[in-house]
Amino acid sequence: MERKDFETWLDNISVTFLSLTDLQKNETLDHLISLSGAVQLRHLSNNLETLLKRDFLKLLPLELSFYLLKWLDPQTLLTCCLVSKQWNKVISACTEVWQTACKNLGWQIDDSVQDALHWKKVYLKAILRMKQLEDHEAFETSSLIGHSARVYALYYKDGLLCTGSDDLSAKLWDVSTGQCIYGIQTHTCAAVKFDEQKLVTGSFDNTVACWEWSSGARTQHFRGHTGAVFSVDYNDELDILVSGSADFTVKVWALSAGTCLNTLTGHTEWVTKVVLQKCKVKSLLHSPGDYILLSADKYEIKIWPIGREINCKCLKTLSVSEDRSICLQPRLHFDGKYIVCSSALGLYQWDFASYDIIRVIKTPEIANLALLGFGDIFALLFDNRYLYIMDLRTESLISRWPLPEYRKSKRGSSFLAGEASWLNGLDGHNDTGLVFATSMPDHSIHLVLWKEHG
């Protein structure tokens, strides 16, 4: 048949075929297939797959592809990346999908990063770290050895750990190397806090002292307490130092002069924690930027206004039971917006603007759970056997790490959390360094550190 006649015949057949019902079309195709030879059947087989299985990611506009991909979970998307190079390219470029997946894992997101491929890599890193946490494999341990008597006080800042001991010394350690940077002779330290130039210590001898790291010289001695000093805090901008004592008082000192500016009374138990912090919220009693002092004992947390003025009155007293049937743990979190403290019943969170308890996280299955750190996403907790990480969005424990036997201080000073930024969400960079430190019966310091990414 000539080409022209064939095309005319094919047009006529096509018009007739289109006028048939679906059943008649199927019967026509069955008849034609029965008349076909090997060449025709092979041709039919090769083209059917292309006609039936259309690559929608390749054919659709990119915006529509991204919309469809948002409905798939990350693990399914990772499997889809294996289909072809084109699928992998499109899926990897869907920034919003991977950012959302990271957020769901408790990851901090820097929206300024525009590189689409970056977010898929961040998710892969995040899922690895979260799996390590779930499998209890995210940490490793180390020890610092150098004191000859029990270590009573610990303080951590920027990769450096300060330890105060009954051997009348304080040491400054580089956590990453385990090396002692400074070692100076002091009194018996019950509390320590330091910066680049100085060390401030509270002692069982009822005094507070300020020391110079470089020379080891005592530059100031604060006398006035009639009981051991269990907690200290200071602010160079205000030139103020505060101390909490077993004599049930909090004293406010001039940091540079060493003179006592005020003695705050009202506690009826040992004051085991003082925290000096800027307020970040507004209320009837304070404004953002105001300096606030928190002091805690066994049953109460007191809130005081602190500034350049000498006199101040207690703004508010917080407690979890009016009859004092519930004790507070000797740890306190205050970030200027929220106050968090733990008790035998769980974690209590107060809103600093209203002073109302806005959250109680109960952990009945774990006895004597104590607070170490509290953030927007995670909380770090521990008991006599384990270190725990809680996802605060679900209030569930997602990881734990075994701890050696140690003597738990009633004042809460012989153990502490390390780096704290990851509690507001991991980001792939802040999961490094110190997680937890505690003093041991053999006078060493036990460290729990983040393990490097695999």
Side-chain angles (χ1 to χ4, degrees):
M1 184 183 290
E2 295 293 333
R3 180 70 187 177
K4 184 177 181 180
D5 295 336
F6 170 75
E7 290 176 353
T8 302
W9 174 83
L10 190 60
D11 288 340
N12 293 332
I13 289 293
S14 299
V15 171
T16 304
F17 184 80
L18 291 173
S19 67
L20 301 176
T21 65
D22 286 339
L23 180 61
Q24 291 171 333
K25 288 178 181 178
N26 290 343
E27 290 181 4
T28 303
L29 289 174
D30 289 340
H31 183 68
L32 290 174
I33 289 172
S34 69
L35 298 175
S36 299
V39 174
Q40 288 75 44
L41 292 174
R42 189 177 300 109
H43 175 77
L44 187 63
S45 176
N46 291 338
N47 284 279
L48 274 177
E49 184 174 1
T50 303
L51 292 171
L52 292 174
K53 299 179 180 179
R54 308 194 74 184
D55 190 339
F56 68 91
L57 276 186
K58 188 176 181 180
L59 298 173
L60 284 176
L62 200 58
E63 292 78 9
L64 283 178
S65 296
F66 286 167
Y67 176 78
L68 292 174
L69 292 172
K70 291 175 186 177
W71 294 93
L72 299 179
D73 64 273
Q75 287 300 317
T76 301
L77 288 174
L78 290 176
T79 303
C80 291
C81 287
L82 302 176
V83 171
S84 67
K85 290 183 179 179
Q86 179 65 23
W87 278 45
N88 183 48
K89 183 178 180 181
V90 172
I91 294 170
S92 298
C94 192
T95 301
E96 186 177 345
V97 166
W98 300 112
Q99 285 184 337
T100 301
C102 290
K103 288 178 181 177
N104 291 337
L105 289 174
W107 231 249
Q108 290 187 59
I109 297 301
D110 182 0
D111 294 322
S112 64
V113 179
Q114 299 298 317
D115 180 14
L117 294 177
H118 165 80
W119 292 110
K120 181 185 172 187
K121 294 176 182 177
V122 170
Y123 174 76
L124 291 172
K125 193 172 186 178
I127 203 72
L128 172 62
R129 182 57 94 190
M130 296 308 293
K131 187 176 187 308
Q132 288 178 335
L133 286 171
E134 291 170 5
D135 295 341
H136 318 306
E137 296 177 350
F139 305 135
E140 57 189 8
T141 58
S142 180
S143 294
L144 302 177
I145 300 173
H147 283 291
S148 58
R150 184 181 174 188
V151 175
Y152 280 103
L154 300 170
Y155 185 81
Y156 177 82
K157 179 183 177 182
D158 299 333
L160 300 176
L161 179 68
C162 181
T163 57
S165 171
D166 205 19
D167 62 9
L168 305 183
S169 76
K171 296 182 183 295
L172 190 64
W173 310 80
D174 184 330
V175 171
S176 62
T177 64
Q179 298 298 312
C180 180
I181 301 173
Y182 288 114
I184 61 175
Q185 293 299 116
T186 61
H187 46 190
T188 298
C189 300
V192 293
K193 185 176 181 180
F194 71 92
D195 55 40
E196 293 79 5
Q197 285 78 39
K198 64 181 176 296
L199 165 69
V200 174
T201 59
S203 176
F204 292 106
D205 67 9
N206 307 344
T207 69
V208 179
C210 185
W211 314 80
E212 188 178 68
W213 281 119
S214 58
S215 65
R218 186 175 66 193
T219 58
Q220 203 59 260
H221 207 191
F222 305 83
R223 299 175 181 271
H225 279 296
T226 58
V229 178
F230 292 144
S231 183
V232 295
D233 203 353
Y234 64 86
N235 183 280
D236 287 315
E237 180 185 351
L238 296 176
D239 190 33
I240 278 179
L241 181 146
V242 293
S243 55
S245 169
D247 63 11
F248 306 165
T249 70
V250 177
K251 287 187 179 291
V252 182
W253 312 81
L255 181 58
S256 57
T259 54
C260 183
L261 302 176
N262 202 357
T263 298
L264 310 180
T265 60
H267 284 283
T268 57
E269 298 284 343
W270 291 358
V271 180
T272 55
K273 190 67 177 178
V274 290
V275 178
L276 191 57
Q277 171 77 359
K278 266 188 180 180
C279 174
K280 297 180 181 178
V281 292
K282 182 175 179 59
S283 80
L284 294 175
L285 301 179
H286 46 68
S287 301
D290 291 348
Y291 279 95
I292 299 294
L293 168 64
L294 264 62
S295 58
D297 63 30
K298 189 176 180 180
Y299 299 107
E300 296 177 337
I301 301 168
K302 290 186 178 293
I303 301 169
W304 315 81
I306 292 290
R308 297 188 182 278
E309 72 279 9
I310 293 177
N311 297 314
C312 65
K313 294 182 179 180
C314 181
L315 297 176
K316 189 74 175 179
T317 299
L318 307 177
S319 63
V320 297
S321 60
E322 294 183 3
D323 60 357
R324 297 196 165 197
S325 59
I326 303 174
C327 296
L328 298 174
Q329 298 279 3
R331 302 290 294 177
L332 190 63
H333 168 84
F334 178 50
D335 60 5
K337 297 183 293 184
Y338 303 105
I339 301 170
V340 184
C341 195
S342 59
S343 75
L345 296 182
L347 301 179
Y348 286 79
Q349 183 180 15
W350 287 268
D351 176 38
F352 194 58
S354 64
Y355 300 128
D356 292 332
I357 294 178
I358 59 174
R359 192 176 190 183
V360 180
I361 303 174
K362 296 187 177 181
T363 52
E365 70 277 9
I366 299 172
N368 299 319
L369 198 65
L371 174 71
L372 283 166
F374 193 92
D376 296 332
I377 305 294
F378 303 111
L380 188 64
L381 313 164
F382 78 120
D383 61 13
N384 290 326
R385 297 177 59 200
Y386 292 100
L387 185 69
Y388 300 92
I389 295 177
M390 175 182 282
D391 187 328
L392 292 171
R393 298 167 300 176
T394 61
E395 298 184 4
S396 60
L397 299 174
I398 62 172
S399 184
R400 72 180 188 185
W401 183 260
L403 296 176
E405 292 186 11
Y406 63 95
R407 185 187 301 172
K408 198 171 179 180
S409 167
K410 293 182 179 180
R411 298 171 288 102
S413 61
S414 61
F415 49 85
L416 53 68
E419 302 290 347
S421 65
W422 66 272
L423 296 171
N424 293 322
L426 292 158
D427 63 10
H429 301 288
N430 58 11
D431 52 344
T432 59
L434 184 66
V435 180
F436 172 77
T438 185
S439 58
M440 299 297 292
D442 65 358
H443 318 319
S444 66
I445 300 96
H446 179 78
L447 307 180
V448 178
L449 307 157
W450 282 101
K451 188 183 294 182
E452 291 188 11
H453 280 281

